[in-house]
Amino acid sequence: MRGEIIAIGDELTSGRIINSTSCFAAAKLFAAGCELRILSTIGDDPALIIATLRQALARSGFIIVTGGLGATSDDLTNEAVCRALGRTLVFYPEVLRKIQANSHHLSAQARTALEKLAWLPNGAHALHSEARSTGYFLVDQGKPAFFLPGVPHEMRALLVDAVLPRLAVWENQPPLQIRQRLYRVSGLNEDEINRRLAELEHCDLRVRIGYYPVYPEVQVSLTIRAAAAVTATEADALLDRFDAEIKHLLGRNIYGLAEDSLEEVVGGLCRDRGLSLAVAESCSGGLIAAAITRVPGSSVYFRAAVVAYHNELKESLLKVKSATLATHGAVSAAVAREMAIGARRISGADLALSATGIAGPGGGSSEKPVGTVFIGLSARAKTLAEPCFFTGNRQQIQASTAHRALDLLRRFLLADQD
Amino acid sequence: MRGEIIAIGDELTSGRIINSTSCFAAAKLFAAGCELRILSTIGDDPALIIATLRQALARSGFIIVTGGLGATSDDLTNEAVCRALGRTLVFYPEVLRKIQANSHHLSAQARTALEKLAWLPNGAHALHSEARSTGYFLVDQGKPAFFLPGVPHEMRALLVDAVLPRLAVWENQPPLQIRQRLYRVSGLNEDEINRRLAELEHCDLRVRIGYYPVYPEVQVSLTIRAAAAVTATEADALLDRFDAEIKHLLGRNIYGLAEDSLEEVVGGLCRDRGLSLAVAESCSGGLIAAAITRVPGSSVYFRAAVVAYHNELKESLLKVKSATLATHGAVSAAVAREMAIGARRISGADLALSATGIAGPGGGSSEKPVGTVFIGLSARAKTLAEPCFFTGNRQQIQASTAHRALDLLRRFLLADQD
């Protein structure tokens, strides 16, 4: 089933906001076996909205339109839909009731303004949503057209809960057999990964391998695209065969699949082993702790973090020795080790990570340029520190530091089980 | 001058990669006074590339095409350009020389593969680039068409260095007068902002006001779009008049403009006043510290942060009294105050922020549901705590907590100067 997405908003065509909703929808639709021909992004221009809607409905099997459904005066989608498809705006009392039920915290005036949201094109069916703003779908020339809010989390929820299930039962012809797996890879660059997997690239026309550096990691995709004549079992077998090859060739550099995050993977290892974790940070400024605690349930293994920017605080809060600071400097393997040991001691954790370095833009020297970072890891039996040299701006160096620290712990815990 | 952007690549239409290049180009073109009608994203499909190129050239004044220029077999743009515009592929020896000069580190085999990059449509002019891949432009029906690589940093460099200067001298008619200001607003929701600014919306057709919730804040845009007959001075005056009105109506809820971030604004206030800052976090898990230290130069005012997840660590690391924890519970205004006082004492900072709450998904109760957060602020003369009730998932509650904490400090420091 071939469709297209139309995202509406001046904030998108003027580049103020990146169009993340179309990307999210494209990924979900692709995974569901739908082919997207075109993703169009257009401004809040009624004539252009009308022309784009008409063209899309004429050439594609379904359309998804996002944005312009809100209550403010620059939201123009519904009127354009009416003019494009020859419909009238109709008042939907049940939509208003639902909106009002979710708006108790607003003033009476604000709730009145929301009434605009209950006027939908004739023939529209409201889509379920817990959120205040709503979406709808209608059928035109036998094709489904979905209209969703542009606010990312509202759009995502409606796409998954209301659009994908309807599309799945819409189609008449059997779909292509589409399978995809996404591998998240750390510790190898794109060229090295490409070289390792090159032998897999041309042995089957139905198989495609893609490489996507997504800073600071690389993502690898394996896509099986087989005609409907291929059975689901055959497609699964093909996927499994190539999946096994990729896992063999990349080994532990694959830290996870698809939606896995490094902090979830590391957290899972700590939880499974019953180990608690602490962090001592300097240049990464809290980013390691923030990554770890982003994971629901991290309070089970995460104990504490100390971010100490100045030497005297590394001494007072993390018990780093002043002699070590004087001899090696704050950016050194010795200080990274003592920071990790200190974090473990003051928190009583089984494991601690530390990072000290120069995130820039200032503070670099010829001996220790911007991007020089030492990452420490302390466990009961062993403490180690790893020198790293990152490139990029301050935020990239901080992100690389947090990523590498978590990856160091992941490899340490996996090596432990060998 | 009205143009459009066409981004080509299956990695974009399948949602594997977000289309950041079109967003970057849109922002730069908008700032340069060009109007973008449509941003299209299409897959590596020759027929679709041809149809889209033809339609875009027929209806727009210029086009920018990104992607599909590489040396691998899925790069199809140049052949499609030839078929769409009735041109032939021609070998450009000077392009090959340039490419080879930038490819010394590659194997002979890899360098041979790059020869494909030197075959361009008849009439193409190569665009300068330090990078291995190159871009080109050509003129069709009197309109400029630019073809750029899809790799973000290469595309960005060519857009700025080679496309914008050519577009600037291309146009025959004088450009529109375009001005834009973007306001970043905290502490008011979209409806409330809309209501406050409603009176400004319809008093001048050349003025547009847009509202964009960008979680957890709201951004407001003021756009002046005047015909070329309006002088630059008049356009500036119009902008200034509406700018003053918006600032009057939103007051201190505007924390910054355009590229300002809340952490930069707060950091600037600390730096200007010579005040140092510490942080004590529980539910936000390091996010407040990470935000503060993201700012270059934050080491001037930032001293330390402690993330303490468990009660005994709030006692040992932050000197929260066990009686306070027992009486009020960890999620309470009293504990938020003591955490902030503790952070200030152990770090010697002038100011400290704290946050304790329930980020979820577990841990909520009927009395203190998920999203209950207390934010504390301690200064030499005064300590306060503010109860907050956030909605959303764990990450949204954490992000809201960090945002609100920084905003509390911003308002505190501004009130101090009254």
Side-chain angles (χ1 to χ4, degrees), chain A residues 282 308-315, chain B residues 298-304:
Chain A
S282 178
Y309 251 38
H310 299 292
N311 282 359
E312 72 266 26
L313 292 168
K314 289 190 182 78
E315 293 179 36
Chain B
S298 48
S299 58
V300 171
Y301 47 85
F302 180 72
R303 292 189 59 79

Side-chain angles (χ1 to χ4, degrees), chain A residues 206-286:
Chain A
R206 298 167 298 179
V207 177
R208 271 174 94 160
I209 295 174
Y211 308 92
Y212 311 98
V214 181
Y215 194 83
E217 65 181 51
V218 179
Q219 300 185 357
V220 173
S221 69
L222 165 64
T223 309
I224 309 289
R225 202 179 186 90
V230 172
T231 67
T233 315
E234 286 169 324
D236 288 339
L238 197 60
L239 180 75
D240 288 343
R241 184 154 67 80
F242 278 83
D243 176 69
E245 288 281 2
I246 288 175
K247 284 177 175 161
H248 172 70
L249 291 166
L250 299 181
R252 274 197 188 145
N253 295 296
I254 297 174
Y255 75 75
L257 297 177
E259 306 294 306
D260 290 343
S261 70
L262 187 52
E263 54 268 22
E264 277 172 326
V265 171
V266 171
L269 293 172
C270 289
R271 198 185 48 231
D272 294 348
R273 286 160 174 72
L275 296 170
S276 59
L277 180 59
V279 176
E281 305 189 49
S282 178
C283 64
S284 49

Side-chain angles (χ1 to χ4, degrees), chain A residues 186 252 254-256 260-277 292 295-298 300-302 350-351 353 377 405-418:
Chain A
S186 61
R252 274 197 188 145
I254 297 174
Y255 75 75
D260 290 343
S261 70
L262 187 52
E263 54 268 22
E264 277 172 326
V265 171
V266 171
L269 293 172
C270 289
R271 198 185 48 231
D272 294 348
R273 286 160 174 72
L275 296 170
S276 59
L277 180 59
I292 294 168
V295 180
S298 49
V300 170
Y301 46 85
F302 180 72
D350 302 305
L351 296 161
L353 284 170
L377 191 165
L406 291 171
D407 201 43
L408 182 70
L409 179 55
R410 180 182 71 91
R411 290 169 193 263
F412 177 83
L413 291 171
L414 289 176
D416 212 37
Q417 86 187 4
D418 286 344

Side-chain angles (χ1 to χ4, degrees), chain A residues 76-411:
Chain A
L76 307 169
T77 298
N78 288 353
E79 275 173 51
V81 170
C82 287
R83 284 169 56 198
L85 309 183
R87 302 189 182 218
T88 53
L89 278 180
V90 177
F91 180 65
Y92 282 64
E94 75 281 11
V95 171
L96 184 62
R97 272 195 300 278
K98 178 142 200 176
I99 291 166
Q100 288 182 332
N102 287 320
S103 311
H104 285 307
H105 57 293
L106 295 181
S107 66
Q109 199 180 10
R111 291 172 68 190
T112 305
L114 293 178
E115 270 182 34
K116 181 182 170 192
L117 300 176
W119 288 84
L120 304 180
N122 186 25
H125 304 265
L127 297 173
H128 292 296
S129 170
E130 297 307 304
R132 196 173 71 205
S133 56
T134 188
Y136 59 91
F137 90 108
L138 51 80
V139 181
D140 198 86
Q141 302 160 59
K143 298 170 178 178
F146 298 88
F147 298 85
L148 308 178
V151 178
H153 70 270
E154 295 176 1
M155 180 275 185
R156 290 171 188 213
L158 276 175
L159 183 90
V160 172
D161 297 343
V163 176
L164 294 179
R166 278 181 178 77
L167 277 179
V169 296
W170 196 272
E171 194 160 5
N172 299 313
Q173 72 259 56
L176 290 173
Q177 294 288 352
I178 291 185
R179 302 286 184 279
Q180 187 169 58
R181 220 157 264 181
L182 189 71
Y183 306 88
R184 307 190 64 162
V185 182
S186 61
L188 294 176
N189 66 30
E190 191 185 0
D191 294 329
E192 173 63 24
I193 297 169
N194 195 175
R195 212 156 41 243
R196 289 203 195 181
L197 300 187
E199 59 182 276
L200 300 181
E201 276 188 14
H202 300 292
C203 39
D204 193 314
L205 277 176
R206 298 167 298 179
V207 177
R208 271 174 94 160
I209 295 174
Y211 308 92
Y212 311 98
V214 181
Y215 194 83
E217 65 181 51
V218 179
Q219 300 185 357
V220 173
S221 69
L222 165 64
T223 309
I224 309 289
R225 202 179 186 90
V230 172
T231 67
T233 315
E234 286 169 324
D236 288 339
L238 197 60
L239 180 75
D240 288 343
R241 184 154 67 80
F242 278 83
D243 176 69
E245 288 281 2
I246 288 175
K247 284 177 175 161
H248 172 70
L249 291 166
L250 299 181
R252 274 197 188 145
N253 295 296
I254 297 174
Y255 75 75
L257 297 177
E259 306 294 306
D260 290 343
S261 70
L262 187 52
E263 54 268 22
E264 277 172 326
V265 171
V266 171
L269 293 172
C270 289
R271 198 185 48 231
D272 294 348
R273 286 160 174 72
L275 296 170
S276 59
L277 180 59
V279 176
E281 305 189 49
S282 178
C283 64
S284 49
L287 214 53
I288 303 174
I292 294 168
T293 57
R294 199 182 296 145
V295 180
S298 49
S299 58
V300 170
Y301 46 85
F302 180 72
R303 290 189 59 80
V306 171
V307 183
Y309 251 38
H310 299 292
N311 282 359
E312 72 266 26
L313 292 168
K314 289 190 182 78
E315 293 179 36
S316 65
L317 300 179
L318 287 166
K319 317 300 176 200
V320 174
K321 295 189 200 88
S322 61
T324 314
L325 286 160
T327 310
H328 301 278
V331 178
S332 63
V335 168
R337 275 193 295 269
E338 290 193 15
M339 285 170 68
I341 293 169
R344 209 156 59 73
R345 287 212 189 126
I346 62 169
S347 67
D350 302 305
L351 296 161
L353 284 170
S354 70
T356 176
I358 302 154
S365 66
S366 57
E367 200 199 340
K368 292 178 183 173
V370 168
T372 305
V373 176
F374 292 87
I375 293 174
L377 191 165
S378 180
R380 293 199 187 285
K382 187 175 176 183
T383 294
L384 53 95
E386 185 183 275
C388 306
F389 303 95
F390 299 120
T391 56
N393 62 24
R394 178 179 180 85
Q395 288 183 32
Q396 288 170 323
I397 291 169
Q398 290 179 319
S400 295
T401 301
H403 195 266
R404 187 71 69 86
L406 291 171
D407 201 43
L408 182 70
L409 179 55
R410 180 182 71 91
R411 290 169 193 263

Side-chain angles (χ1 to χ4, degrees), chain A residues 10-11 14 16 27 39 41 55 72-73 109 132 180 212 285 289-290 293 303-305 307 309 312 394 398, chain B residues 14 16 27 37 39 41 55 180 191 194-195 201 208 212 285 289-290 293 299 303-305 307 309 312 394 398:
Chain A
D10 283 347
E11 74 279 16
S14 63
R16 273 199 304 273
L39 320 181
T41 305
Q55 187 180 33
T72 54
S73 38
Q109 199 180 10
R132 196 173 71 205
Q180 187 169 58
Y212 311 98
T293 57
R303 290 189 59 80
V307 183
Y309 251 38
E312 72 266 26
R394 178 179 180 85
Q398 290 179 319
Chain B
S14 64
R16 273 199 304 273
R37 291 168 50 80
L39 320 180
T41 305
Q55 186 181 34
Q180 186 169 59
D191 297 324
N194 194 180
R195 207 155 48 241
E201 276 190 14
R208 267 174 97 161
Y212 311 99
T293 58
S299 58
R303 292 189 59 79
V307 183
Y309 250 38
E312 72 266 26
R394 179 179 180 86
Q398 290 178 319

Side-chain angles (χ1 to χ4, degrees), chain B residues 301-345:
Chain B
Y301 47 85
F302 180 72
R303 292 189 59 79
V306 171
V307 183
Y309 250 38
H310 298 292
N311 281 358
E312 72 266 26
L313 293 168
K314 290 190 180 79
E315 293 179 37
S316 65
L317 300 178
L318 288 166
K319 317 301 176 201
V320 174
K321 294 189 202 88
S322 60
T324 313
L325 285 161
T327 310
H328 301 277
V331 177
S332 63
V335 168
R337 275 193 295 268
E338 288 193 17
M339 286 170 69
I341 294 169
R344 209 157 60 72
R345 287 212 189 125

